[in-house]
Amino acid sequence: MPTNKLSAFIKRKEFILLVIFVLVFVLMSALAPKQFLRPFNIQSMAFQLPEFGILAIAMMVVIVSGGINLSITYTATLSSIVAAVAISSMSQAGVADWKVILLGIVIALATSLAAGAINGFVVAYVGVTPMLVTLGTMTLFEGVSLNITKGGAISGFPDSFLWLGNATIIGIPVPMVIFVAIVLASWYLMGRSRFGFSVYMIGCNPRATMFSGINVKRVLMGVYLFSAVLCALSGLIMSSRYNSAKESYGSSYLLQSIAAAVLGGTDIAGGYGSLSGTVLAVMILQVITSGTNIIGINPYLTNIIMGAILIFVLALNYLSSRRESRKLG
Amino acid sequence: MDSSEFLHIEKVSKTFPGVKALNDISLSVRKGEIHALIGENGAGKSTLIKILSGVYQPDEGAEIVIEGWRAHSLTPIESAKRGISVIYQDFSLFPNLTVGENIAVARDIEKGSTFVHWREMRRTAGKILERLGVEINIDAPLGSLSIAKQQLVAIARSLTYNAKLIIMDEPTSALSKGEVDLLFRIMRSLRAEGISFLFVSHKLDELFAISDRFTVLRDGKYLGTFDEEGLDDDRLISLMVGRKIEYTIFPKRRRTESVLEVRDISRTGCFQNISFDLREGEILGLTGLVGAGRTEILQAIYGINPPDSGKILMHGTEISVRSPIDAVRHEIAYIPENRLAEGLVLRKTMSDNIVVTILDKISNRLGLIQRDKQNRLAQDWIQRLNIKPNIPEMQTSKLSGGNQQRIVIVKWLARDSKILLVDEPTNGIDVGAKMEIHRILRDLAESGMSILLVSSELPEILAIADRIIVMRRGRIAGQFDGDTATQEMIMEKAILGIKQQVR
Amino acid sequence: GGKKFTIVVMPKLVGIPYFNASEVGAKQAGVDLGINVIYTGPTTPDAAQQVRMIEDLISKGVDAIAVAPNDPAALTPVLMKARRAGILIADWDTPADKKLVDLSVHQIDDKEYGQHIWDLLVQQMGPSGDYAIITGGLSAANLNAWINAGLSYAKTKYPNLHLVTDKVPSDEKQQIAYQKALDLITAYPNLKGIIGISTPAPLGAAQAVEEKGLKDKIAVVGTALPTDSRPFLEDGSLRVATLWDPSKLGYLTVYLIDQMLSGKKPVNGQDVPNVGKITVWPDGKTVIMGPPSDFTAENAKNYSF
Amino acid sequence: MAIAMLPIILTGGIDVSVASIIAAVTVIIGNFMIGVSSNIFAVFVVGCASGAVLGLINGLLVAKLKIPPIVATLGTMSIIIGVVLYVTNGTWITGIPQNFINFGRTDLFAVSVRVGEPIGLPIQFVFLFGAAALMWFVLRHTLVGRGVYAMGGSVVSAERIGYDLGKITIFIYTFEGFLIGLAGSVHTSIMRQVDPGAFSGFELHVIAAVVLGGASVLGGYGSVFGTLLGVALFAVLNNGLILMHIPVFWQKIVVGIVLIASISVDILQKRYSESRMTRVDIEPVEG
Ligand SMILES: Nc1ncnc2c1ncn2[C@@H]1O[C@H](COP(=O)(O)OP(=O)(O)OP(=O)(O)O)[C@@H](O)[C@H]1O
Ligand SMILES: Nc1ncnc2c1ncn2[C@@H]1O[C@H](COP(=O)(O)OP(=O)(O)OP(=O)(O)O)[C@@H](O)[C@H]1O
Ligand SMILES: [Mg+2]
Ligand SMILES: [Mg+2]
């Protein structure tokens, strides 16, 4: 049955990723047996993964809609900076901790929604190419952040705020718990909901989707808002983990998140992309960075390895799909 | 192979994953003949053409002989070198380049030249357009032309290089009667020069007007080649579909209750002072020459390009439709003319394309899509319209043109609307399927839906429309009743006063 | 002792000349003292990357971590974690959270250094006139510390100096510093001096001044390595550069950590081999390496960093 | 640089590895000058050749392995810059021979207007315009160049009509590498030393400049002249703000807003004029 074949093929991409993940994991364990497999290390990887993983999902969602969001890292830091200003000034004013934190989260989300609304508005309603819009807003958000911080970092959080990024629940880091929740929520949203269905359709052919009576503009707006909210969550985790908020946190995640999304099987042209693939890709990248750090490999070599894996996996995808069609065609 | 043959193929098969599109095909094309290739939707015509042009490689064992030169398969460059030129269903032109470049570029590639000589290119293009007797600005970007003119450009292009066999996949589907006549005139004069044509069309009258021989494919198999003499419509149809089909003229009904009243709408550069009523349960035919502005009227009503002035009333109250979302809210549906770009999301599955209009119906209160409901509905519709293959998970791009069109229709049938705007619904669809679509449209009308049907095919309009509006250059030129109108009456209104221009 | 210590020295980023020079010193100290020195850091000056690397290094299990924080506050949680894991924590080059470190190695006293730079500027351009600052990045804590120290010092000591516009960032790149300097020269025709803070900045400024033929009118001073700045010092476009020897800083850091791991605290006035006499603050953990060296056209060739 | 990127964007591709290629080129020629020969001509040959080779790698990945351009170049970017920094450890290469530096400072047609203030056309502009002219010629007057536009218009059609898409792809990436090599060589002679880390973050600027110049990221549209304008506009945006005495902390905000606003206005204008485009010549009312 071609039905099975088709789904089997889609699964194959993720299967390759799974194999690679296991391979790097085993490799790292073999190279640094005592250190890599320590629960402490596993836990610390679980601490590190979410902030990047969330950004990668934020990127993936936009790519699936046929766009790209270059402003993710600055959306994250901008919303955490605005929240940080509020949190630190309120907590100095002696407001109760839980109120402060709750309000801080609300403020971060509100800021990110505003940021996402700018992206969404210009992309969907004005009709500018996403890459350009987000290139502009990237600069804009960085500028606003810098203007607030004047180049420094905003700190002075109450200790309980640090819980968000640093505590564990029965050994599982809180950020990881948040991440899993986000993955599940995104999976429902993208894979099961009307919204997600529309996003995939728009990513393939916005015009035909519009002709089908779907409110393409509103869906696109939703995509950028959703992406921005994810950014804010990542930003909050980062500011809690780093005990401060600053415009440059996570700036190196931008290109990495594109790489993760694509490595995870997202079609850069839009319309295709799976959450599980992206999550697997994020895990692969995490194991490689942590592993090479522990083994003590020159960080530039890590860059080279990641680049090579990216090309390798995509080449593999291409070759296997070609063999497939040869065999049958 | 005898020396009067230009092309001879044998044992050509092509297998796609899950589909045997061609099965052991043989065919010869003589020098200086017009050879029709016919068959139902999905019979494999387009696939065969792609093999001849080198886009697809046939399965093992194929024999292709071109003027004594033998091969098992072709590449696009080889095919062109050997004198085969193809005009595809979608023209394969470059919207971002100028008309002149689109015409002349193929020859430069064939010559393998390094540099492009603009002056010479424009001269070549100009000469060919002159030979075709059409007036198109050589320097205009192709994307700004109407579909009909783009078609002529595609034809012009195939004449630039020394094509000895011109293959045309449904070249007349976007052309009006006058333009078709022009094309045929050109084809005949080229035939006299010894150029052969392989010609795909679903329009039987055209086929009989121009073809010397017919090759019939059915379900990927070769049924035989027949001379024009001794063939008639009935025989041809029964060869194609394996059964006899009549072009049913449906009885016309007179309806009175207006559902949609269009009052004096205008849009700059598209249409002027258009007024008409669409009544409950009727099919209102909107016809005219291609480029008369019919598509624009449909798109205006559907909210894609709203009118600048005028009113649209529904059941007597004015409605404002500024976007397709508004239209859908008012239960208006639209089946666009350009199904590839506007009707379908080609890279998604049949099932996804079918349910895209009814997401609200297949999802629960939380907005989550219920997969089982989706599958059931899709499966159901695919069976009802007899779409082949019956695989809801198949990518829509892999369907044949006719089956793709059925998907577009299905997706709007799935969402029952009050008003259906249909633009050239049977373009590129075989006779059998055409009848089915006519029946579907009629049934819908009987069940109370109001249908505004744009079609350039007069027999089709006459067969199913209750009333007919004829458009000419952005204005309404005349109105007829479906049971009394004739082709002649309609044509007269459609071309009156612009005859000279068409020529 | 019998066990061979493993010490991590983490710069703000790897792959820039300044931190390459300190790597040499740190590694040398490792060889001299017979301990294992890992010198690693992020490839971009991103605090998040630093935190991740430290987390991984805690997993690896090391005896001490000396870090030059890209952002002090950001490191606080991870350094607490490291302390809990029983790792000795030090900062170097740029201070981290005072409470968390066992040792804090400063090349220089920020305040004195800032003042010194402004003194150099006045030496070259005179006590009055327009000047501008080109800095590495707007959010670099140590650069900002120097600038702020210098600015408040200048307010009282050199009231006739006039800063034309806020410090201009150059992304730690000579090319950008050069562009910005060109713009500054055009925008403020009365400019008499440019201070370049961060090692590529003075070079870019000098290049611009040289190209415009204004090296006699505009005095460029700043913090730069002598080898890189030598061509500019020699053609006069850069009047004077000032910096400490980063390799000594690396050496000193490793040396002091080794001592502490063996149970010895740094002492004020202690003479460290290959480095010289150091100053230790009363808190017992803040160590100042010593005054900076000034590099001029005459002496630049004597240095190898 | 932006000029070099234009044809790639025209085909609907994108190259984010430009910054790493130019870094690699500068390092290679830096070492070449010091180690082998400081002959200006030889240096340029080496620079362009090494750029071209790196570009070729991108081209092969995109054309032969069918990896989407943004991803392929993301990979090569990571690898190239990794290798460059691993090998050099980020150390600057100083001691560029004087003759090469002098070359970078040559002003052509220098006219002394006032004493001590020569104005003229700095040599980098000569190269910029030279590269632009070359690119213009290639795009406008060679078959490959037209193929680039054709590919951007419709890949399927281009293939059907007989363009060898693989060759075109490989050509444009190699050509881009070549021009980047040229840019790297000129840059080195101006900067007088080689900083392997100098170009990080540069790729987005290059893309922005090309697209600001009117090229469509989906391919098919764009011109050399537009790209030059885009480069100029971007340079003005980035550097002119100091001239306008805009405070530092506001500059990025201004840049961001100007960028978004200018493109938005442009798009809205285009949309308006398109919606007013005549599709049907309406019959005049008979008087
Ligand atoms: N790329 C493909 N992959 C899988 N199946 C394909 C592909 N292209 C065509 N087919 C199948 O091959 C068969 C023949 O299709 P083809 O397009 O040649 O039909 P056709 O005769 O041109 O029909 P129409 O008149 O509707 O255009 C169809 O069943 C179609 O689904
Ligand atoms: N949605 C659209 N967006 C842009 N251009 C369009 C759109 N729909 C149609 N056009 C263009 O409008 C022009 C006129 O349309 P066309 O020639 O199809 O006339 P028509 O009489 O409305 O159509 P038909 O007779 O085919 O139903 C063509 O150039 C066509 O490509
Ligand atoms: Mg077909
Ligand atoms: Mg039409």
Side-chain angles (χ1 to χ4, degrees):
Chain A
M1 267 287 283
T3 320
N4 294 341
K5 219 177 274 160
L6 204 77
S7 61
F9 180 61
I10 292 169
K11 281 204 189 96
R12 273 261 292 277
K13 262 189 189 173
E14 276 135 38
F15 184 69
I16 294 178
L17 287 177
L18 196 65
V19 170
I20 292 179
F21 174 72
V22 171
L23 276 182
V24 280
F25 197 90
V26 168
L27 185 74
M28 294 303 167
S29 313
L31 289 176
K34 281 197 223 104
Q35 296 132 351
F36 188 80
L37 284 176
R38 269 176 27 175
F40 182 88
N41 181 50
I42 305 289
Q43 197 189 52
S44 97
M45 286 198 293
F47 265 115
Q48 294 174 24
L49 185 138
E51 59 196 42
F52 170 52
I54 296 174
L55 286 179
I57 295 177
M59 181 62 89
M60 177 207 126
V61 174
V62 179
I63 295 181
V64 167
S65 80
I68 195 163
N69 187 353
L70 299 177
S71 73
I72 48 169
T73 55
Y74 288 112
T75 306
T77 48
L78 175 62
S79 36
S80 67
I81 284 171
V82 174
V85 171
I87 291 178
S88 60
S89 59
M90 279 188 298
S91 91
Q92 263 157 33
V95 183
D97 274 4
W98 66 269
K99 271 192 205 159
V100 171
I101 290 166
L102 211 67
L103 221 72
I105 293 175
V106 171
I107 287 172
L109 292 180
T111 312
S112 72
L113 284 175
I118 298 178
N119 281 333
F121 177 79
V122 184
V123 170
Y125 292 88
V126 182
V128 183
T129 323
M131 188 190 302
L132 277 182
V133 177
T134 54
L135 194 68
T137 50
M138 170 178 129
T139 318
L140 175 65
F141 300 157
E142 185 190 359
V144 175
S145 304
L146 266 175
N147 209 329
I148 296 173
T149 61
K150 296 284 178 242
I154 310 277
S155 48
F157 299 135
D159 284 348
S160 43
F161 180 71
L162 302 187
W163 179 86
L164 199 63
N166 300 288
T168 58
I169 300 171
I170 48 165
I172 303 167
V174 175
M176 197 62 190
V177 175
I178 298 175
F179 180 60
V180 172
I182 287 177
V183 170
L184 286 179
S186 314
W187 183 74
Y188 260 93
L189 197 64
M190 292 300 288
R192 301 294 310 280
S193 77
R194 272 158 67 180
F195 171 79
F197 185 96
S198 315
V199 174
Y200 280 93
M201 293 300 252
I202 291 171
C204 284
N205 185 344
R207 194 165 169 80
T209 314
M210 191 258 274
F211 274 39
S212 305
I214 285 182
N215 198 336
V216 170
K217 293 175 180 172
R218 207 165 62 195
V219 173
L220 278 181
M221 181 60 125
V223 166
Y224 285 91
L225 289 179
F226 180 57
S227 174
V229 165
L230 291 182
C231 292
L233 294 173
S234 170
L236 282 172
I237 292 178
M238 282 197 269
S239 57
S240 165
R241 258 164 61 72
Y242 308 146
N243 188 26
S244 54
K246 191 175 168 183
E247 96 289 346
S248 66
Y249 286 171
S251 51
S252 47
Y253 290 146
L254 173 58
L255 291 177
Q256 280 185 40
S257 66
I258 301 177
V262 174
L263 189 60
T266 309
D267 183 345
I268 197 80
Y272 288 90
S274 80
L275 215 54
S276 50
T278 306
V279 172
L280 269 173
V282 168
M283 281 160 60
I284 292 174
L285 295 181
Q286 178 66 49
V287 168
I288 294 176
T289 31
S290 284
T292 51
N293 265 340
I294 288 179
I295 298 166
I297 289 176
N298 183 304
Y300 290 120
L301 279 182
T302 315
N303 267 359
I304 300 175
I305 296 171
M306 300 237 233
I309 288 197
L310 190 64
I311 290 179
F312 173 75
V313 169
L314 286 162
L316 209 64
N317 278 344
Y318 167 69
L319 292 176
S320 74
S321 75
R322 202 177 60 169
R323 216 187 42 207
E324 180 103 335
S325 63
R326 276 243 179 98
K327 220 166 44 199
L328 293 157
Chain B
M1 151 170 189
D2 96 53
S3 67
S4 68
E5 283 180 1
F6 171 74
L7 167 85
H8 182 81
I9 60 170
E10 231 163 87
K11 290 187 246 135
V12 170
S13 301
K14 174 75 187 172
T15 319
F16 291 111
V19 189
K20 186 120 188 166
L22 292 178
N23 193 353
D24 198 15
I25 304 288
S26 313
L27 173 77
S28 11
V29 180
R30 294 186 192 136
K31 288 179 186 158
E33 77 163 338
I34 297 177
H35 194 124
L37 183 62
I38 58 174
E40 274 189 289
N41 291 133
K45 305 176 295 291
S46 300
T47 309
L48 181 60
I49 288 173
K50 284 180 187 156
I51 285 176
L52 292 178
S53 66
V55 172
Y56 287 159
Q57 310 303 311
D59 300 347
E60 296 284 305
E63 294 262 355
I64 301 173
V65 187
I66 304 174
E67 291 186 311
W69 177 85
R70 289 173 176 277
H72 294 298
S73 66
L74 295 169
T75 64
I77 296 172
E78 253 167 19
S79 165
K81 268 208 189 111
R82 299 279 156 198
I84 297 180
S85 154
V86 182
I87 301 169
Y88 292 92
Q89 248 167 327
D90 59 4
F91 314 150
S92 288
L93 296 170
F94 306 103
N96 55 334
L97 304 185
T98 64
V99 169
E101 215 184 334
N102 267 292
I103 295 177
V105 71
R107 201 172 60 160
D108 281 332
I109 295 174
E110 198 204 0
K111 281 195 305 197
S113 46
T114 314
F115 298 107
V116 176
H117 302 284
W118 284 84
R119 210 173 307 144
E120 197 190 310
M121 202 179 75
R122 299 184 65 242
R123 219 182 40 231
T124 317
K127 258 202 285 204
I128 288 180
L129 287 176
E130 212 170 287
R131 183 166 154 206
L132 289 178
V134 286
E135 241 175 77
I136 299 176
N137 179 4
I138 297 181
D139 297 317
L142 182 96
S144 68
L145 299 186
S146 69
I147 301 278
K149 286 189 173 165
Q150 292 190 16
Q151 172 97 54
L152 291 173
V153 170
I155 293 168
R157 179 166 77 187
S158 66
L159 297 179
T160 52
Y161 42 128
N162 288 325
K164 294 179 192 146
L165 170 63
I166 298 178
I167 302 178
M168 296 194 270
D169 198 350
E170 303 194 29
T172 58
S173 55
L175 298 190
S176 62
K177 184 87 176 59
E179 287 159 324
V180 171
D181 288 345
L182 173 69
L183 174 66
F184 285 178
R185 225 172 35 238
I186 294 164
M187 283 171 72
R188 288 195 191 100
S189 78
L190 291 172
R191 175 174 63 183
E193 294 171 26
I195 294 175
S196 319
F197 289 87
L198 189 62
F199 181 89
V200 176
S201 172
H202 291 291
K203 299 180 182 169
L204 297 186
D205 54 337
E206 285 175 14
L207 287 168
F208 278 109
I210 189 83
S211 312
D212 302 317
R213 293 199 299 161
F214 293 81
T215 290
V216 184
L217 300 185
R218 191 199 300 163
D219 286 339
K221 290 192 222 48
Y222 174 72
L223 278 189
T225 304
F226 309 89
D227 278 342
E228 200 240 321
E229 297 104 65
L231 268 188
D232 56 23
D233 282 19
D234 292 349
R235 172 124 173 75
L236 205 55
I237 289 169
S238 64
L239 277 172
M240 274 164 67
V241 300
R243 60 188 187 278
K244 202 169 151 30
I245 291 181
E246 302 253 290
Y247 217 69
T248 322
I249 310 279
F250 289 87
K252 305 296 167 355
R253 297 253 205 112
R254 215 158 283 249
R255 308 278 176 171
T256 45
E257 197 187 331
S258 290
V259 178
L260 194 75
E261 292 158 61
V262 174
R263 289 288 169 265
D264 206 24
I265 55 169
S266 302
R267 185 177 164 90
T268 321
C270 294
F271 49 81
Q272 273 288 311
N273 306 102
I274 303 293
S275 298
F276 61 85
D277 286 359
L278 179 62
R279 301 182 188 148
E280 182 163 354
E282 78 166 348
I283 296 181
L284 176 59
L286 189 57
T287 187
L289 299 182
V290 169
R294 298 161 302 168
T295 299
E296 284 66 26
I297 290 177
L298 294 196
Q299 295 196 343
I301 297 173
Y302 194 59
I304 293 161
N305 292 309
D308 303 331
S309 63
K311 285 194 284 194
I312 297 177
L313 295 87
M314 202 174 194
H315 292 304
T317 40
E318 186 171 350
I319 55 171
S320 152
V321 180
R322 311 297 302 173
S323 73
I325 300 119
D326 293 342
V328 171
R329 202 170 39 237
H330 287 108
E331 300 191 56
I332 302 174
Y334 173 54
I335 297 178
E337 170 182 29
N338 183 351
R339 61 177 160 258
L340 300 182
E342 297 170 347
L344 293 169
V345 180
L346 286 173
R347 286 159 66 216
K348 288 292 174 193
T349 63
M350 294 156 74
S351 158
D352 283 352
N353 273 289
I354 291 173
V355 300
V356 67
T357 51
I358 46 163
L359 292 180
D360 46 348
K361 290 189 191 160
I362 57 163
S363 49
N364 64 14
R365 242 180 245 151
L366 289 173
L368 297 184
I369 291 176
Q370 293 164 310
R371 277 287 145 77
D372 46 336
K373 231 181 200 172
Q374 165 173 2
N375 293 339
R376 218 173 40 236
L377 266 167
Q379 188 72 50
D380 201 43
W381 280 110
I382 288 171
Q383 255 153 21
R384 260 209 251 175
L385 281 218
N386 197 16
I387 297 171
K388 276 179 267 183
N390 182 352
I391 305 167
E393 276 76 32
M394 181 148 139
Q395 239 190 23
T396 319
S397 60
K398 292 179 181 158
L399 294 176
S400 75
N403 283 309
Q404 285 175 345
Q405 180 69 336
R406 293 185 211 193
I407 299 272
V408 188
I409 295 177
V410 160
K411 80 179 200 188
W412 284 113
L413 293 189
R415 174 175 204 103
D416 27 40
S417 304
K418 277 200 200 115
I419 293 171
L420 183 63
L421 313 172
V422 207
D423 202 349
E424 308 280 8
T426 60
N427 218 339
I429 286 186
D430 68 52
V431 220
K434 220 176 244 183
M435 307 307 303
E436 281 177 49
I437 286 171
H438 289 175
R439 174 167 307 285
I440 292 165
L441 291 176
R442 261 333 301 184
D443 285 351
L444 289 170
E446 297 307 324
S447 69
M449 192 185 268
S450 311
I451 298 173
L452 182 54
L453 166 73
V454 167
S455 175
S456 306
E457 222 187 302
L458 295 183
E460 172 168 287
I461 290 275
L462 289 171
I464 62 171
D466 297 306
R467 294 187 301 131
I468 299 164
I469 293 177
V470 184
M471 284 194 65
R472 185 177 66 223
R473 292 173 72 192
R475 292 176 187 277
I476 291 183
Q479 298 208 27
F480 302 96
D481 279 332
D483 41 5
T484 54
T486 63
Q487 294 211 24
E488 290 68 34
M489 289 159 68
I490 295 175
M491 265 338 261
E492 196 197 318
K493 285 285 179 201
I495 59 178
L496 188 86
I498 46 175
K499 266 187 185 143
Q500 302 92 314
Q501 219 201 344
V502 170
R503 191 172 43 81
Chain C
K3 179 175 174 268
K4 195 171 167 184
F5 294 125
T6 300
I7 296 177
V8 176
V9 180
M10 181 178 293
K12 289 182 176 175
L13 75 166
V14 293
I16 66 165
Y18 174 86
F19 284 114
N20 286 339
S22 32
E23 176 174 10
V24 174
K27 287 268 170 71
Q28 185 58 45
V31 174
D32 291 354
L33 304 168
I35 55 176
N36 189 8
V37 173
I38 300 174
Y39 190 92
T40 187
T43 51
T44 53
D46 182 359
Q49 296 296 319
Q50 247 179 350
V51 169
R52 307 181 72 148
M53 294 189 95
I54 295 176
E55 277 171 343
D56 293 334
L57 290 163
I58 303 173
S59 296
K60 182 182 173 76
V62 296
D63 297 297
I65 295 177
V67 59
N70 278 311
D71 183 57
L75 290 183
T76 303
V78 74
L79 290 182
M80 287 192 323
K81 205 164 154 187
R83 271 182 86 100
R84 278 201 300 276
I87 296 172
L88 184 132
I89 307 295
D91 63 45
W92 65 288
D93 186 72
T94 304
D97 188 343
K98 262 243 138 46
K99 295 190 294 284
L100 292 172
V101 296
D102 304 293
L103 174 71
S104 180
V105 185
H106 294 204
Q107 55 275 44
I108 212 141
D109 184 280
D110 285 341
K111 205 167 137 208
E112 279 174 22
Y113 190 51
Q115 296 176 350
H116 179 67
I117 296 171
W118 260 254
D119 284 337
L120 289 178
L121 177 74
V122 170
Q123 270 172 32
Q124 297 299 332
M125 70 171 266
S128 67
D130 286 354
Y131 76 105
I133 306 171
I134 299 179
T135 179
L138 292 176
S139 49
N142 56 344
L143 307 188
N144 286 344
W146 303 336
I147 293 172
N148 293 338
L151 284 176
S152 58
Y153 172 68
K155 208 178 264 171
T156 51
K157 181 93 183 283
Y158 306 116
N160 294 328
L161 280 184
H162 172 236
L163 181 63
V164 290
T165 182
D166 242 334
K167 60 194 168 196
V168 177
S170 64
D171 301 353
E172 298 279 350
K173 283 173 195 152
Q174 186 187 337
Q175 159 79 26
I176 303 205
Y178 161 75
Q179 290 288 354
K180 302 282 178 188
L182 283 181
D183 292 342
L184 286 169
I185 293 168
T186 320
Y188 305 100
N190 294 328
L191 209 61
K192 279 174 70 187
I194 298 177
I195 295 180
I197 306 270
S198 108
T199 47
L203 309 186
Q207 190 188 349
V209 166
E210 207 273 346
E211 199 181 290
K212 286 275 166 198
L214 294 172
K215 62 189 176 196
D216 298 321
K217 185 166 163 275
I218 300 178
V220 180
V221 303
T223 62
L225 294 166
T227 39
D228 294 341
S229 49
R230 199 169 135 197
F232 299 99
L233 288 168
E234 283 176 356
D235 70 21
S237 54
L238 178 61
R239 300 284 177 81
V240 55
T242 173
L243 206 70
W244 54 92
D245 181 343
S247 76
K248 281 188 187 168
L249 184 63
Y251 194 99
L252 177 65
T253 307
V254 172
Y255 182 89
L256 292 178
I257 290 178
D258 177 54
Q259 269 202 339
M260 296 210 25
L261 286 171
S262 323
K264 277 178 279 180
K265 292 224 152 212
V267 191
N268 196 12
Q270 181 182 357
D271 195 1
V272 176
N274 294 328
V275 176
K277 278 206 173 57
I278 56 169
T279 317
V280 180
W281 283 8
D283 66 4
K285 58 183 181 186
T286 309
V287 174
I288 307 276
M289 183 166 81
S293 320
D294 294 342
F295 315 117
T296 59
E298 289 74 42
N299 72 6
K301 57 182 170 298
N302 304 334
Y303 295 90
S304 62
F305 58 92
Chain D
M1 292 279 288
I3 294 283
M5 180 88 102
L6 174 66
I8 295 195
I9 291 197
L10 277 177
T11 63
I14 196 161
D15 184 355
V16 292
S17 70
V18 277
S20 61
I21 293 184
I22 195 169
V25 166
T26 54
V27 167
I28 292 171
I29 58 169
N31 284 319
F32 177 80
M33 269 185 275
I34 292 165
V36 187
S37 155
S38 65
N39 179 303
I40 291 173
F41 184 70
V43 170
F44 271 84
V45 169
V46 170
C48 294
S50 49
V53 168
L54 293 172
L56 177 66
I57 296 175
N58 279 333
L60 288 174
L61 287 175
V62 174
K64 296 287 173 205
L65 290 179
K66 304 275 185 275
I67 301 180
I70 191 171
V71 189
T73 55
L74 202 63
T76 49
M77 170 187 92
S78 178
I79 295 176
I80 294 174
I81 200 75
V83 170
V84 165
L85 291 176
Y86 183 65
V87 171
T88 61
N89 201 6
T91 316
W92 293 16
I93 301 171
T94 49
I96 301 291
Q98 196 58 40
N99 65 340
F100 196 63
I101 293 171
N102 289 342
F103 174 75
R105 301 196 162 186
T106 321
D107 284 349
L108 291 188
F109 336 110
V111 240
S112 275
V113 179
R114 265 175 284 149
V115 190
E117 209 180 317
I119 62 162
L121 202 53
I123 198 133
Q124 61 262 44
F125 282 101
V126 176
F127 275 93
L128 175 64
F129 290 124
L134 180 63
M135 181 59 81
W136 177 81
F137 182 81
V138 168
L139 284 181
R140 175 96 185 141
H141 286 291
T142 68
L143 202 60
V144 180
R146 299 320 293 173
V148 167
Y149 278 95
M151 237 175 115
S154 162
V155 176
V156 181
S157 307
E159 191 170 5
R160 282 180 181 167
I161 199 175
Y163 276 117
D164 186 339
L165 302 190
K167 264 196 204 143
I168 293 180
T169 308
I170 292 173
F171 170 79
I172 53 173
Y173 280 92
T174 311
F175 190 52
E176 180 208 37
F178 169 83
L179 288 183
I180 293 174
L182 194 66
S185 309
V186 175
H187 181 88
T188 307
S189 82
I190 299 168
M191 295 311 288
R192 294 200 261 177
Q193 44 211 342
V194 173
D195 170 8
F199 302 98
S200 57
F202 199 61
E203 52 277 339
L204 292 178
H205 294 205
V206 177
I207 297 169
V210 176
V211 183
L212 261 183
S216 153
V217 263
L218 297 176
Y221 298 90
S223 70
V224 172
F225 184 66
T227 306
L228 280 180
L229 284 183
V231 171
L233 177 61
F234 205 69
V236 168
L237 264 184
N238 264 335
N239 299 320
L241 295 172
I242 293 181
L243 301 182
M244 288 189 268
H245 295 213
I246 291 176
V248 173
F249 287 113
W250 286 97
Q251 289 183 2
K252 289 225 158 170
I253 301 184
V254 174
V255 173
I257 290 177
V258 169
L259 205 65
I260 300 168
S262 63
I263 309 164
S264 299
V265 169
D266 187 40
I267 295 272
L268 287 176
Q269 254 170 9
K270 250 189 223 151
R271 266 225 310 231
Y272 182 77
S273 67
E274 240 162 53
S275 77
R276 296 291 112 187
M277 201 178 74
T278 305
R279 298 224 186 89
V280 176
D281 9 301
I282 295 169
E283 191 169 64
V285 205
E286 288 113 67

